[in-house]
Amino acid sequence: MSALDRRRHLLRIGKAAGRRAESGGMRFLALLCATASLAVGLAAFVVVHASYAGQESREAARGPVDRVVRPDLPAAAVWEKGYDSLQGSGQFPVFFISPLTADAPLPPGVREWPEPGEAVLSPALLRSGASEKIAERYGRLAGIIGEEGLADPEERAVYVRPLREPTPVTEGPDQNVIVGYGQDLGQGRNAAGASQDYKAQWVFQSMVAGLLLLPAVVLLTVAVRSGSQARDRRTALIAVLGGSARDRALIAVGEAWRATCWGGVLAFLPILGSLVVSYRLPWVGFTLSLTDTQRALVPLLLAPLCAVALVLVVAVVADQVSRRPGRSTRPAAARRSPVLWAVLCPVMILVAVRGPDFVTPGTSAYTLINWCGVAGTLATLPAAVAVGTSKLGGLLARAGRSWGRPGLLVAGQRASSHPRPIARMTAGVVVALTLLVQIVAWQGLFGSQAQAAEATKARIGSSALVVRPGGPTDSASVSSFLRESLQGAAALALVSPPGAEQLVFTGPCESLKLMHLPCPASVTRLEGVPRDPRVRELIQWYGDVAVQRGDVAEAAASADAQGLVMLSPEREDLSVPAIKRAAYRAFPTGAHVDSIGAEWLPVAVSNRDQGRWIALLGLVGIGILAAAAGFGGLTEMLRHGKALAPLSVLTGNRGFFWNIAAWTVFVPLMLAALVGEFVGVWIAGPTTANGASFVSGTFLALSAAVVGVLSLLLWLWGATLAVRQAADWRPRGD
């Protein structure tokens, strides 16, 4: 036999061995899922990098180049940058552009110059701002920004040509004259938009590694060791017959290559789809740019191939490592009982939940005690699960004996006598879900100022709005804004005189009295606690406050002005979109219009968005871990299938295998999901006490549903295999 024929023969032996193994079908599916999971995880790495690289290149292409950088080029346009926001979302950039020449270059994505008083909006901004009539806010709608001018397809951005052309400034920090766009002309100014709402690239890569690749590695470990006892016997036989390590490797490849190749094909389908159409990811609302994925064509196509090669290598290495010398006849040391660690688990939960009560909330000690309790809970949970499994198994066995249910009796007796397999299967799911809930909850810890702003808005709503013009203004512009925007509301100017450590409310007596304030002719510091809650909120955010009678327009246009505060007479909510429309008509570069302290809210929005990414990736990771746990449990059950097969003769039916599979796989996994969520939410109590948690009922329900669907499918499949295995059993004196 030639060497080539020998290799082919060994591959065929491995293929036949995989088919005829007790858990061959189980291992086939486990390897397929592991390969697909690894391929998707590797592709996710590539997509994250490609998305960030694409955002950076497009932002660099639209970055304006100041004339001071390229004085050899003629002045082309006036370019200024501002920010705006929609209610309940983060900020987005507003680019104010005005051409200085007839042939001034256009920004990327803008097809023609808008007329004065017109704007060009991104598609995502038009969709998300439809309820606020965003198409009318900046003037007439002149067009839509093309994808080449957006950092990503879901970026919200707008180019505005002011109704009143701004004054060109070529010197000093306020220079606004540019010669063009893009790094080809020189070092461009920062035109960041969507990317400022995202964390650094390494943060997303870490999430992919921890929430996708790590569970895939766990599933791969379970898959390659499925049916290991039969393969260990085969490996020993091959060694006795003189087979080499290469021969064993070829047999291992023959056993695994079909499953891994199908797993690669399964993962290739969504990867191929991302190269053809733009995906909009659920939950997070992010759309993968088709341009970015097509630029990463080669790495994306290599991801399934690398996953297939990696799984085959691991399968071969695991088969080689499993060949151990004969077991020693020396007594083995007894394993330590997990009871002590199980007893510590409720103690750690108590430390996590009640320990922070002994220190001041919001301090470092408060958070540290909670985190120490969480770490202790995660370390002792597996032991508690093992002890609980043993105790529950005893109860099930007694119930099966009393009710005459052989399936319940066998499953309970096995769980009581051998709790470790079920504990190993469920502990990973319990710990993973508990940790995932903690990570999502911890997102609400960051941004205490944003939480305070949310609390302020909850108390007074939009009955008081702070208006800050986007640049220097004059009294005529302020008067025009007030005429169009007041509509029954009152206004006060916020002035901070040089050297003064207080904010002066300046306005007519009618507006001051509306807030139960005095109306002195000179600056007078407020004493006592103000009656109006809106004044109390302003003092909380801006410090000491004084009042003075005066003209609002002149005070708001002075060099010391800090903006305006709009007040509702009946403390009803003012229309933020309407006031913003008036501001963009009156002021050359618009104005920031927000509730008191709302400038801190974008921090909370960024953390909320990252929490959604963690939840999305975490759900996928939990599904992979649940699959790994289920495969491990079913493999353990099928490994003892021959020992249980005679029971079908004693009981007269094979239906009890369905009960055994249910109590071995379905019920433990569902209990693991519920316990993991319950413990996770419980010990996250101190973290979420301020109401800033991103752990929602929808997230918990989806997590339980993912585990439930997988455990149901594995139960049905495992029970079918067990019944089929019992049907093939014949008594042979064993």
Side-chain angles (χ1 to χ4, degrees):
M1 180 183 293
S2 66
L4 181 59
D5 291 338
R6 176 186 174 88
R7 295 190 188 97
R8 290 176 177 173
H9 186 64
L10 291 173
L11 290 173
R12 286 194 295 269
I13 290 175
K15 179 180 177 181
R19 276 183 185 167
R20 298 171 184 173
E22 292 176 359
S23 54
M26 190 75 64
R27 187 171 190 259
F28 180 91
L29 187 59
L31 285 173
L32 185 150
C33 293
T35 306
S37 301
L38 279 174
V40 170
L42 294 175
F45 262 114
V46 175
V47 169
V48 169
H49 177 72
S51 297
Y52 270 87
Q55 289 174 3
E56 292 175 1
S57 65
R58 286 186 290 273
E59 288 182 351
R62 74 184 184 188
V65 178
D66 292 325
R67 192 162 189 267
V68 69
V69 177
R70 291 294 303 272
D72 56 309
L73 297 178
V78 174
W79 187 98
E80 293 181 307
K81 180 181 178 181
Y83 289 99
D84 198 359
S85 63
L86 298 174
Q87 297 186 56
S89 63
Q91 292 181 333
F92 57 85
V94 179
F95 305 118
F96 298 93
I97 54 174
S98 297
L100 296 177
T101 61
D103 58 347
L106 287 165
V110 179
R111 291 167 179 79
E112 61 181 12
W113 278 103
E115 297 295 328
E118 292 185 342
V120 184
L121 281 69
S122 67
L125 181 57
L126 281 172
R127 289 195 306 269
S128 57
S131 60
E132 298 186 23
K133 298 181 179 179
I134 195 70
E136 305 173 5
R137 177 177 298 180
Y138 311 102
R140 296 182 301 275
L141 180 63
I144 297 176
I145 303 175
E147 186 174 345
E148 66 275 13
L150 300 172
D152 65 64
E154 294 300 319
E155 183 188 18
R156 292 169 297 145
V158 55
Y159 284 96
V160 179
R161 185 173 180 181
L163 189 61
R164 291 189 297 166
E165 302 287 356
T167 303
V169 180
T170 57
E171 296 181 356
D174 297 327
Q175 55 185 298
N176 57 11
V177 176
I178 64 171
V179 298
Y181 307 89
Q183 293 180 339
D184 293 341
L185 298 179
Q187 184 62 41
R189 214 187 311 172
N190 177 27
S195 62
Q196 68 182 358
D197 296 330
Y198 301 137
K199 302 295 183 180
Q201 182 177 168
W202 69 266
V203 175
F204 270 83
Q205 299 289 30
S206 299
M207 288 193 292
V208 172
L211 300 176
L212 289 184
L213 281 181
L214 184 58
V217 171
V218 174
L219 178 56
L220 175 59
T221 304
V222 172
V224 297
R225 292 302 297 164
S226 297
S228 57
Q229 287 192 342
R231 285 198 308 282
D232 291 346
R233 291 193 298 267
R234 183 190 67 203
T235 299
L237 176 61
I238 294 173
V240 169
L241 295 176
S244 63
R246 179 181 297 177
D247 296 333
R248 295 194 302 273
L250 287 172
I251 294 176
V253 170
E255 187 178 9
W257 74 268
R258 290 177 61 252
T260 56
C261 289
W262 278 111
V265 171
L266 185 64
F268 178 74
L269 296 178
I271 293 175
L272 181 62
S274 69
L275 297 170
V276 178
V277 297
S278 295
Y279 280 164
R280 180 176 172 83
L281 299 178
W283 192 268
V284 295
F286 180 80
T287 300
L288 297 179
S289 171
L290 187 60
T291 303
D292 294 341
T293 54
Q294 288 178 346
R295 286 178 180 172
L297 173 65
V298 175
L300 282 175
L301 295 180
L302 286 177
L305 298 178
C306 292
V308 169
L310 179 61
V311 172
L312 289 177
V313 169
V314 172
V316 170
V317 171
D319 187 74
Q320 299 290 338
V321 172
S322 65
R323 182 175 177 264
R324 305 185 186 94
R327 297 180 181 272
S328 172
T329 57
R330 291 179 299 173
R335 293 181 177 179
R336 294 183 179 180
S337 173
V339 174
L340 177 60
W341 289 99
V343 171
L344 285 177
C345 185
V347 176
M348 291 295 101
I349 294 177
L350 190 63
V351 170
V353 176
R354 289 300 179 187
D357 293 345
F358 295 96
V359 297
T360 305
T363 61
S364 299
Y366 183 93
T367 304
L368 181 62
I369 292 174
N370 175 247
W371 286 8
C372 289
V374 170
T377 301
L378 295 175
T380 56
L381 256 180
V385 170
V387 173
T389 299
S390 178
K391 300 300 181 183
L392 182 61
L395 295 176
L396 293 177
R398 287 194 291 271
R401 190 178 296 109
S402 301
W403 299 341
R405 299 291 182 87
L408 188 60
L409 171 63
V410 172
Q413 190 63 40
R414 177 159 185 79
S416 177
S417 305
H418 306 282
R420 292 184 182 276
I422 295 181
R424 283 196 303 268
M425 178 180 69
T426 56
V429 177
V430 172
V431 172
L433 266 172
T434 303
L435 183 58
L436 180 61
V437 171
Q438 296 307 300
I439 294 174
V440 175
W442 289 342
Q443 288 298 116
L445 278 178
F446 309 107
S448 58
Q449 295 286 352
Q451 297 167 18
E454 290 281 7
T456 294
K457 191 171 183 179
R459 287 191 290 266
I460 65 173
S462 300
S463 62
L465 298 176
V466 178
V467 180
R468 295 186 177 87
T473 185
D474 52 34
S475 58
S477 298
V478 177
S479 299
S480 174
F481 166 72
L482 293 176
R483 282 194 302 270
E484 187 172 352
S485 64
L486 283 181
Q487 298 178 353
L492 294 173
L494 305 178
V495 182
S496 179
E501 297 182 356
Q502 58 189 5
L503 198 63
V504 181
F505 289 174
T506 304
C509 289
E510 294 80 3
S511 299
L512 292 171
K513 290 180 180 179
L514 179 65
M515 300 178 73
H516 305 286
L517 297 174
C519 187
S522 59
V523 177
T524 303
R525 186 176 182 273
L526 287 181
E527 301 291 345
V529 179
R531 292 173 54 188
D532 195 303
R534 295 171 293 185
V535 180
R536 294 196 294 269
E537 296 294 341
L538 286 165
I539 292 175
Q540 176 183 341
W541 282 95
Y542 303 117
D544 290 341
V545 171
V547 294
Q548 181 184 22
R549 182 171 69 247
D551 184 84
V552 176
E554 292 182 359
S558 66
D560 302 326
Q562 301 296 314
L564 295 158
V565 57
M566 311 286 293
L567 305 166
S568 171
E570 302 299 330
R571 298 184 186 177
E572 297 177 351
D573 286 346
L574 298 171
S575 174
V576 177
I579 294 177
K580 285 187 175 182
R581 285 196 297 272
Y584 278 98
R585 290 190 183 97
F587 303 117
T589 55
H592 300 285
V593 182
D594 285 307
S595 56
I596 299 173
E599 60 268 22
W600 292 96
L601 291 180
V603 177
V605 173
S606 178
N607 289 331
R608 181 197 64 192
D609 292 343
Q610 185 176 1
R612 288 176 176 173
W613 277 105
I614 293 174
L616 175 64
L617 297 177
L619 285 174
V620 178
I622 289 297
I624 297 173
L625 281 177
F631 283 132
L634 286 181
T635 302
E636 187 74 17
M637 186 189 77
L638 294 178
R639 189 164 65 89
H640 300 279
K642 288 186 176 180
L644 296 176
L647 292 179
S648 61
V649 178
L650 298 177
T651 59
N653 67 80
R654 302 188 185 97
F656 75 97
F657 284 109
W658 289 85
N659 291 332
I660 293 177
W663 289 101
T664 304
V665 178
F666 178 72
V667 174
L669 281 179
M670 283 305 303
L671 287 177
L674 297 178
V675 170
E677 291 184 350
F678 176 76
V679 174
V681 173
W682 191 12
I683 63 179
T687 304
T688 60
N690 57 7
S693 172
F694 299 128
V695 180
S696 64
T698 303
F699 166 70
L700 296 176
L702 285 175
S703 301
V706 168
V707 178
V709 170
L710 283 171
S711 58
L712 178 64
L713 294 176
L714 290 172
W715 165 46
L716 296 175
W717 188 36
T720 302
L721 291 178
V723 170
R724 187 181 304 164
Q725 191 178 57
D728 294 337
W729 176 81
R730 296 292 183 273
R732 295 185 179 88
D734 52 356

